[in-house]
Amino acid sequence: MTRFADLPHQERVEDAARRKVVVVGAGVVGLSSALWLLKAGHDVTVVDRQPPAQGVSYAHAASFGNACTIAFGACLPVAMPGIWARAPRMLMDPRGPLSIYWRNLPGLAPWLIAFLKASRPAEVNRIADVLGCLLHFAEGGHSPLIKESGAEGLIRRAGCLYLYRTAKQFAEAQTDMTLRKREGVAMEVLDVATIQQAEPNLARLYHKAVRFTDVYHLDTPFRYALALADAIRRRGGQFVQGDVRTLARTVDEVAAVLEAQILRADRLVVAGGAWSKPLAASVGDKVLLDTERGYHVHFPQGGSLLNGPCCYPEYGFYMTPLEEGLRAAGTVELGGLGAPPHAGRTDRIARIARELVPALGPPADTWLGFRPSMPDSLPVVGPSPNDSRILYAFGHGHIGLTLAGVTGRIISDLVSDREPPVDIAPLGLSRFDVRVNA
């Protein structure tokens, strides 16, 4: 398999096949879906509590505060073999890379059971194959949107370093590297001297590093969201501000129901990220979707201290240089949507970031966001089992920015009654056998 492939050329639909589509959610997945749909010739309305626009807050969106990387090497599920043995120790450390709000444990149990099942070696191999196929087309999904939105200037091509402090950590990473090599991920191993030359401002707390050369990052994803939104408006797409309370359907149409408005359509696309679960439930679909709460800490004086994104896997977060400063983003906290931010998480990120990059100045602000995560690390992309007019595009976990473009293209092809570029069967709800008939 070649590392990247272009998607087949998208023809515009005939007027008779033109459909009225409502996209629920203006994160990067929803925006990418909307722009691909418009390119195909459909009428599109995007609804979100706060669509991206200059001078307004977009902080509710996971697309606002992520680690900024387009990670074509992200073909590994979060649940890898042996996670069942490591997880209890990590969960008992309130400042470790993985934590949980214990009062939520009963509700999380089905998700956690499926998560552990996904860590079996055969499942890991299958999931890596599915992710590898999606990643094969990821750049083909992004590049037309980046070009149309005029966002080329946001791209920073500096690769990404994964750093290992000890020989033992590096040895333990060999399974991951083998799977990535199988999927065609471009990477190279760096010794201490080469790491120092590549990133002289890193503290010398490393044994070896792996440099992923296919990776690039955006400066910043919020600016990319603004560019996508502008492109959508130029093509005649509409934005509606509001919270979608439920989905409705009749023989003739489907609809997104807001507090004071009903948006009727021929097709609905649910791209509501971590808020998608109750919307799916409103049409009888039960989804094993839960929320990984992710944090970032912003260091305004640190943007020039690193040449590209750096990650120490043991700590679970990335340090990404941006025009506005250095962003340290990541960690996993299983705590749902309602709990307040946990100051200990951002304190930990800030402390470790300053250990790894000693010249960092003080942090200026922090952020909490909500990753929509499926237990097998595969998104939900495709039609509702209960109504094929409702299409799902959520659950991308840590790689929503990476897979947004190809997800949008798949959604556009489905709305246009065309065969998508990849087999979407592994991305359907039926893989967990939790369908609830309406």
Side-chain angles (χ1 to χ4, degrees):
M1 178 186 290
T2 57
R3 186 67 194 98
F4 299 115
D6 289 331
L7 291 165
H9 177 68
Q10 182 188 45
E11 301 289 343
R12 287 178 63 85
V13 296
E14 300 292 335
D15 287 344
R18 186 172 183 169
R19 286 176 169 142
K20 185 176 181 180
V21 185
V22 170
V23 177
V24 181
V28 69
V29 172
L31 295 170
S32 298
S33 298
L35 189 49
W36 272 114
L37 285 161
L38 286 162
K39 285 164 65 66
H42 299 289
D43 295 321
V44 179
T45 298
V46 182
V47 57
D48 191 274
R49 71 179 63 173
Q50 188 63 73
Q54 291 288 355
V56 301
S57 174
Y58 188 59
H60 71 284
S63 301
F64 173 82
N66 59 35
C68 311
T69 56
I70 306 292
F72 299 116
C75 58
L76 306 184
V78 176
M80 291 292 287
I83 188 69
W84 62 271
R86 300 191 302 273
R89 183 179 71 253
M90 290 189 287
L91 289 172
M92 294 306 294
D93 179 0
R95 301 199 175 197
L98 174 65
S99 68
I100 189 172
Y101 273 76
W102 290 101
R103 65 177 178 270
N104 293 344
L105 184 58
L108 274 170
W111 189 95
L112 290 170
I113 291 169
F115 178 78
L116 293 176
K117 288 181 178 179
S119 72
R120 295 175 296 189
E123 271 296 276
V124 168
N125 276 292
R126 182 189 70 82
I127 292 165
D129 279 343
V130 176
L131 286 174
C133 183
L134 286 170
L135 292 163
H136 180 60
F137 292 104
E139 181 62 2
H142 273 305
S143 56
L145 306 187
I146 290 174
K147 182 178 180 180
E148 175 158 347
S149 63
E152 296 97 331
L154 301 180
I155 294 174
R156 304 287 181 265
R157 298 189 183 276
C160 175
L161 291 185
Y162 269 39
L163 294 122
Y164 302 93
R165 290 167 61 108
T166 67
K168 179 182 178 183
Q169 289 177 354
F170 183 70
E172 291 171 346
Q174 296 309 300
T175 299
D176 295 3
M177 292 176 64
T178 298
L179 274 174
R180 286 190 167 108
K181 287 177 181 176
R182 188 189 75 186
E183 297 300 325
V185 177
M187 54 189 172
E188 56 187 354
V189 176
L190 307 185
D191 60 17
V192 170
T194 310
I195 297 168
Q196 184 181 349
Q197 182 179 15
E199 295 291 358
N201 290 310
L202 278 178
R204 297 184 189 179
L205 300 173
Y206 40 73
H207 164 71
K208 275 190 171 61
V210 175
R211 177 157 55 197
F212 297 95
T213 55
D214 287 336
V215 174
Y216 62 85
H217 68 281
L218 299 178
D219 193 2
T220 62
F222 176 48
R223 293 169 65 189
Y224 182 46
L226 290 173
L228 288 173
D230 287 345
I232 288 167
R233 294 184 181 97
R234 286 195 299 271
R235 277 195 175 261
Q238 303 294 314
F239 283 89
V240 172
Q241 183 175 351
D243 282 317
V244 176
R245 302 296 182 87
T246 189
L247 307 181
R249 53 202 176 110
T250 68
V251 172
D252 298 321
E253 63 185 11
V254 286
V257 181
L258 288 71
E259 182 176 8
Q261 187 177 6
I262 298 176
L263 301 175
R264 294 178 169 84
D266 302 310
R267 297 289 186 271
L268 283 177
V269 178
V270 180
W275 290 268
S276 299
K277 186 174 182 177
L279 297 179
S282 72
V283 292
D285 289 327
K286 184 176 180 181
V287 186
L288 275 180
L289 176 74
D290 221 290
T291 304
E292 291 183 33
R293 296 152 54 90
Y295 293 82
H296 87 219
V297 179
H298 173 222
F299 297 89
Q301 301 172 31
S304 62
L305 295 176
L306 295 178
N307 294 313
C310 293
C311 174
Y312 284 74
E314 65 179 299
Y315 297 129
F317 65 85
Y318 282 77
M319 299 178 293
T320 305
L322 306 170
E323 182 179 314
E324 65 184 28
L326 185 138
R327 177 180 295 184
T331 74
V332 173
E333 182 179 70
L334 301 175
L337 293 167
H342 185 186
R345 308 297 293 169
T346 51
D347 290 347
R348 171 188 176 271
I349 292 173
R351 174 179 55 80
I352 295 174
R354 286 195 296 265
E355 290 176 5
L356 301 175
V357 186
L360 275 179
D365 54 77
T366 63
W367 173 84
L368 166 64
F370 306 98
R371 298 187 198 99
S373 293
M374 300 297 292
D376 61 356
S377 299
L378 294 174
V380 177
V381 182
S384 157
N386 280 313
D387 194 323
S388 61
R389 298 171 299 176
I390 298 171
L391 300 165
Y392 294 138
F394 58 77
H396 294 75
H398 295 252
I399 51 176
L401 181 60
T402 300
L403 294 181
V406 67
T407 298
R409 174 57 190 269
I410 292 169
I411 292 297
S412 177
D413 285 340
L414 292 172
V415 170
S416 304
D417 295 325
R418 295 179 179 135
E419 191 72 21
V422 300
D423 178 12
I424 63 170
L427 310 179
L429 290 184
S430 60
R431 68 188 193 257
F432 292 109
D433 195 26
V434 291
R435 177 179 170 183
V436 176
N437 290 322

